[in-house]
Amino acid sequence: MKHAIFKRASCAAMLLLLLALICVMIFPAVTIAEDPALGVYMVKSGSALQLRSNDAAAQPVIDVPSTYYVTLKSSAATAGYYTVSYAGSDYLVTASDFTSAAELHNAEKYGSVPVENMSLSFAVSSLFPQGEFSTYTYSGDNMTASNPAKAEEITAVYGILTLQNVSYYYVNIHTQVFGMPIDTNVYIAAAEVAAPYSSYTSSTVPANPYEAVKAEIDEEATINQNPAGNEEGSAETPDPDDTDNNLERIILSIVIAVLCVAVVLLIFRPGRKNKTSKS
């Protein structure tokens, strides 16, 4: 009796092991998070990547708008931050922001991103016509008003930053105090600049012109794969690979069902119980 029970348990264990092996083949394994590869990353369409100061404060500086690019310089996060390069300067980004907002550029398909398409640039004269503009400095999660700047004092626009649904342009102003030149980086509210820049936010800046180049490459690749008159791969033609995969899944599902039934029968065999009771 004990031998029979042991034999039945061994058979059940072997069948369960076989079932587990089949499940491993059918269902994808759980992936382990890996460090991102170094290289050029595009900010996903409709997103924005917040860049922070490359120091202990790590405070927000500017955002990389949708469809523009950063270069990842550290594949392992330090204190929750990656280091990226944008428009010639290094910044920090939180690992969570980078993972959700950036995707690796497919250089094999599209080639290298032209330098002029990596970052968004603004012409100072287009944003700031003649006049004075209120300026702000960022500190402690707040924008604090500072001395106004004249249009002719604004020498560069580094980018745009959106905080609490309000957008600001990060600029450099060049002034002189007692004959000494002073350069200061400040923010100017987008609402004060010329249209259409006054309505921009970090995620609604017009798409990078390089997206049109990529679209042409995609279209050309599609034409090459499906030349005129070739129905293979069309919407009406089923993909043979998909058909094979579906057939394999059906067969494996049937095998699993049969094995499950076999395990149940081995463990709960009414005929064996009847023989035991008669004896």
Side-chain angles (χ1 to χ4, degrees), residues 3-272:
H3 178 71
I5 294 175
F6 177 77
K7 185 176 181 181
R8 287 164 55 193
S10 299
C11 291
M14 291 180 64
L15 286 173
L16 288 173
L17 179 60
L18 180 60
L19 178 63
L21 291 174
I22 294 174
C23 288
V24 169
M25 291 190 299
I26 295 177
F27 301 106
V30 177
T31 57
I32 299 174
E34 297 181 354
D35 291 331
L38 297 178
V40 175
Y41 284 76
M42 186 192 80
V43 178
K44 298 176 184 178
S45 180
S47 301
L49 182 64
Q50 189 176 85
L51 304 183
R52 297 170 175 268
S53 58
N54 191 17
D55 54 29
Q59 70 177 26
V61 179
I62 57 174
D63 298 325
V64 180
S66 166
T67 68
Y68 285 87
Y69 296 81
V70 297
T71 301
L72 182 65
K73 301 184 69 176
S74 63
S75 60
T78 302
Y81 295 98
Y82 292 122
T83 300
V84 299
S85 175
Y86 178 74
S89 298
D90 289 347
Y91 300 91
L92 299 179
V93 296
T94 65
S96 58
D97 283 352
F98 186 82
T99 302
S100 63
E103 60 185 7
L104 185 63
H105 172 65
N106 189 343
E108 182 177 353
K109 181 178 182 180
Y110 300 112
S112 299
V113 181
V115 175
E116 62 270 20
N117 293 119
M118 288 286 290
S119 57
L120 177 64
S121 60
F122 295 99
V124 173
S125 59
S126 297
L127 274 73
F128 304 102
Q130 293 300 312
E132 275 194 344
F133 300 87
S134 301
T135 65
Y136 301 85
T137 56
Y138 181 83
S139 178
D141 296 332
N142 292 305
M143 286 290 186
T144 305
S146 55
N147 295 329
K150 298 178 180 179
E152 58 268 26
E153 295 174 338
I154 302 172
T155 61
V157 182
Y158 300 119
I160 188 170
L161 176 68
T162 301
L163 292 172
Q164 300 176 351
N165 298 320
V166 179
S167 294
Y168 302 86
Y169 286 92
Y170 190 49
V171 305
N172 174 265
I173 57 174
H174 179 82
T175 57
Q176 287 194 354
V177 177
F178 301 115
M180 297 293 293
I182 297 177
D183 286 284
T184 309
N185 293 335
V186 295
Y187 290 93
I188 296 177
E192 290 195 41
V193 308
Y197 307 101
S198 56
S199 61
Y200 285 180
T201 68
S202 302
S203 56
T204 62
V205 168
N208 190 335
Y210 187 56
E211 287 298 286
V213 177
K214 290 165 62 179
E216 291 179 1
I217 295 174
D218 289 338
E219 183 178 359
E220 184 178 349
T222 301
I223 294 173
N224 291 336
Q225 290 175 359
N226 301 296
N230 183 3
E231 297 181 356
E232 183 178 356
S234 65
E236 293 77 19
T237 306
D239 189 344
D241 292 337
D242 292 342
T243 303
D244 292 341
N245 289 337
N246 290 335
L247 182 60
E248 290 177 2
R249 288 181 178 275
I250 292 172
I251 294 173
L252 288 173
S253 298
I254 294 173
V255 171
I256 290 174
V258 171
L259 287 174
C260 289
V261 172
V263 170
V264 172
L265 291 177
L266 279 172
I267 297 175
F268 305 102
R269 285 168 58 183
R272 184 67 66 109

